Amino acid sequence: MAMELQLDSMAASIGVSVAVLRFLLCFVATIPFSFFWRFVPGRLPKHFYSAAVGVFLSYLSFGFSSNLHFLVPMFLGYASMVVYRPRCGILTFFFGFGYLIACHVYYMSGDAWKEGGIDATGALMVLTLKVISCSINYNDGMLKEEGLRDAQKKNRLVELPSIVEYIGFCLCCGSHFAGPVFEMKDYLDWTEGKGIWNFGAKGPKAPSPYGATIRALLQAGFCMGLYLNLVPYFPLSKFTDPSYHEWGFWKKLGYQYMSGQTARWKYYFIWSISEASIIISGLGFSGWIDSSPPKPRWDRAKNVDILGVELAKSAVVIPAVWNIQVSTWLRHYVYERLVQSGKKPGFLQLLGTQTVSAIWHGLYPGYIIFFVQSALMIAGSRVIYRWQQAVPPTIKNVLVFSNFAYTILVLSYSCVGFMVLSLHETLASYGSVYFIGTVVPIVIILLGKVIKPGKPSRSKPRKEE
């Protein structure tokens, strides 16, 4: 009882519900638990530790039923690998997404998150991607390496993981709550001290994770502080306030930008905590920088590049700097696999990938509209990029700035749907600025059909494409 009263007072002091506070405490607790993983002796005990801590923290955060929900996609994924390996990937994909959608609908998770609540569906979203990737990689293990993409060759599983390895991978506490998503192959190498984690007597010593962990924690503190200071000034409720619709066009557009930016700092905080947790465990290590002396890289757990998002010169780079690991998952397991052999990807593959991302978040109209908008935004940005590559430097600088301004405009506009969720509120907020963020990309895409650039003025690798 005293504990509950203490949680009530703490929650009230920072302006969140008790459920959210309990989640945050368990979420931050993944950092010390991940640290202690380093001292667990032996391979099997490490798997048991990963699973046990994931179950324990989930129980404290969401209650007993959450762990029952997690068992369903885990069982479906493992059973498909055991029973029907040639199609286990596609079976797990549809079974996993089917159950996730059912949970989204049952718990109305989007409404809960919008109102400041919390439930287990966020963790279930991460788990769903893990079980799907594991099954697809086991499916790829049957195929010959010739013809496979580099990512498929790297992550394919020739042998079926044991049930202990599988559960440890699924519930690994450092990534269980909010990601990042990582591969079963990397998890096994990390646990067994293989690959880049093979720090032997003759090889390099294990790098210290403490500096990178402190950096991630400082970033998390800054992001949370900024979010708590901004959110009272830019509440989502303003979009349904009659006074909002009395504002002028530019003031509405400015409010959309600030409300979207405010919401992003919350995600920056969450992903910074996850990054710290994965780094301190050692799993965040991703190799050595070629320098003298060599320096460790800790970007395996990196889920966001804050400056990359806020200063993006093109909408094309947004998936590479926002929710990075999920974007990587979508590229490897959806986008690339929708492309037919011998053909180049196009708008349909992009739209299909964004639709899967929308469904993964939930069946709210705002999510669907946002990700369709994202496909339009990226397609329009690609047109501007092609133009800027084919003009003299003086004009190119103008187009570079235009692409930057275009990205800010359309992203700020599109984000409103992701935040308000309902069809009525999304269309009302879009309509309040004359659907400018939808009209501009469509006009640019159509112009791209008419104004086709010639050869680039200078030959450059097209990283953004």
Side-chain angles (χ1 to χ4, degrees):
M1 186 68 179
M3 186 65 164
E4 287 296 322
L5 290 173
Q6 192 172 8
L7 287 176
D8 283 337
S9 61
M10 287 176 62
S13 65
I14 60 174
V16 298
S17 66
V18 173
V20 170
L21 177 61
R22 189 181 293 112
F23 166 78
L24 288 174
L25 291 174
C26 291
F27 186 42
V28 173
T30 62
I31 297 173
F33 277 114
S34 294
F35 171 73
F36 290 126
W37 181 95
R38 304 169 67 89
F39 304 102
V40 177
R43 183 174 58 86
L44 283 178
K46 287 183 183 294
H47 293 308
F48 278 115
Y49 180 84
S50 293
V53 171
V55 169
F56 175 67
L57 292 178
S58 294
Y59 169 73
L60 291 181
S61 183
F62 308 121
F64 179 72
S65 63
S66 66
N67 291 312
L68 297 180
H69 282 302
F70 300 147
L71 285 176
V72 176
M74 289 166 59
F75 171 77
L76 292 172
Y78 201 79
S80 70
M81 291 192 290
V82 172
V83 174
Y84 194 33
R85 184 177 185 180
R87 293 289 182 270
C88 63
I90 194 69
L91 287 174
T92 305
F93 188 97
F94 284 107
F95 286 148
F97 265 97
Y99 188 74
L100 176 63
I101 291 168
C103 288
H104 273 313
V105 172
Y106 180 78
Y107 286 105
M108 297 297 288
S109 54
D111 285 338
W113 300 339
K114 179 182 172 182
E115 295 169 6
I118 197 75
D119 57 46
T121 49
L124 187 62
M125 289 166 66
V126 177
L127 178 63
T128 299
L129 300 188
K130 282 185 175 183
V131 299
I132 290 172
S133 66
C134 185
S135 293
I136 291 177
N137 289 326
Y138 186 57
N139 199 158
D140 287 346
M142 297 180 64
L143 308 176
K144 294 181 179 179
E145 287 199 14
E146 295 80 5
L148 295 181
R149 296 182 179 88
D150 290 340
Q152 290 177 281
K153 293 176 183 177
K154 176 181 178 294
N155 298 320
R156 66 199 293 263
L157 298 170
V158 178
E159 297 180 356
L160 179 70
S162 71
I163 191 67
V164 177
E165 293 170 337
Y166 181 75
I167 296 174
F169 163 71
C170 289
L171 300 179
C172 180
C173 70
S175 70
H176 181 46
F177 283 118
V181 180
F182 51 82
E183 302 290 351
M184 169 63 90
K185 185 72 163 53
D186 290 334
Y187 171 79
L188 293 176
D189 285 350
W190 167 59
T191 306
E192 298 169 13
K194 295 181 178 178
I196 64 171
W197 291 277
N198 183 12
F199 306 114
K202 296 182 180 179
K205 293 182 179 180
S208 169
Y210 304 121
T213 302
I214 292 171
R215 177 200 56 78
L217 288 174
L218 290 174
Q219 179 175 285
F222 174 80
C223 294
M224 177 52 75
L226 197 55
Y227 172 73
L228 292 175
N229 277 281
L230 286 174
V231 73
Y233 297 101
F234 302 100
L236 296 181
S237 58
K238 194 68 179 179
F239 289 110
T240 56
D241 192 315
S243 65
Y244 168 81
H245 296 279
E246 296 174 1
W247 291 350
F249 172 79
W250 291 108
K251 188 173 181 180
K252 291 175 186 174
L253 211 57
Y255 192 86
Q256 289 186 359
Y257 170 76
M258 286 306 302
S259 62
Q261 191 188 67
T262 298
R264 288 198 292 274
W265 290 106
K266 175 177 65 175
Y267 291 100
Y268 296 157
F269 161 75
I270 290 171
W271 288 330
S272 297
I273 293 294
S274 287
E275 186 178 354
S277 181
I278 294 294
I279 288 173
I280 198 71
S281 71
L283 177 57
F285 176 68
S286 54
W288 299 93
I289 298 172
D290 188 12
S291 61
S292 184
K295 296 180 181 179
R297 286 189 290 115
W298 297 99
D299 55 5
R300 185 179 304 279
K302 191 177 182 64
N303 228 357
V304 68
D305 178 350
I306 297 175
L307 292 179
V309 174
E310 299 300 332
L311 302 177
K313 293 181 179 179
S314 166
V316 177
V317 305
I318 295 294
V321 293
W322 171 268
N323 208 353
I324 296 170
Q325 306 306 327
V326 171
S327 296
T328 301
W329 189 97
L330 288 167
R331 183 173 74 250
H332 291 330
Y333 298 105
V334 181
Y335 184 74
E336 292 177 349
R337 293 170 191 261
L338 288 175
V339 181
Q340 295 181 1
S341 179
K343 294 187 177 181
K344 293 183 178 180
F347 180 72
L348 289 179
Q349 284 76 22
L350 176 61
L351 183 60
T353 304
Q354 295 298 84
T355 301
V356 171
S357 184
I359 293 171
W360 179 67
H361 284 85
L363 295 182
Y364 285 84
Y367 287 145
I368 305 295
I369 293 172
F370 169 78
F371 284 103
V372 171
Q373 272 287 137
S374 297
L376 288 173
M377 176 178 69
I378 293 170
S381 192
R382 282 177 173 168
V383 172
I384 301 174
Y385 181 78
R386 286 195 290 270
W387 289 342
Q388 72 189 43
Q389 292 301 103
V391 297
T394 51
I395 302 176
K396 179 177 180 178
N397 291 334
V398 174
L399 287 174
V400 168
F401 178 78
S402 299
N403 209 347
F404 170 70
Y406 164 90
T407 300
I408 291 177
L409 169 70
V410 183
L411 181 62
S412 301
Y413 165 93
S414 303
C415 280
V416 178
F418 190 93
M419 296 184 294
V420 300
L421 298 181
S422 75
L423 180 63
H424 171 72
E425 289 180 81
T426 300
L427 294 180
S429 61
Y430 286 0
S432 71
V433 289
Y434 309 109
F435 296 96
I436 187 172
T438 303
V439 173
V440 169
I442 292 175
V443 169
I444 290 174
I445 292 168
L446 293 176
L447 282 174
K449 303 292 184 182
V450 178
I451 308 173
K452 296 184 178 180
K455 293 181 179 180
S457 58
R458 288 191 302 172
S459 178
K460 279 188 176 183
R462 298 176 66 171
K463 293 181 181 179
E464 293 181 358
E465 292 295 306

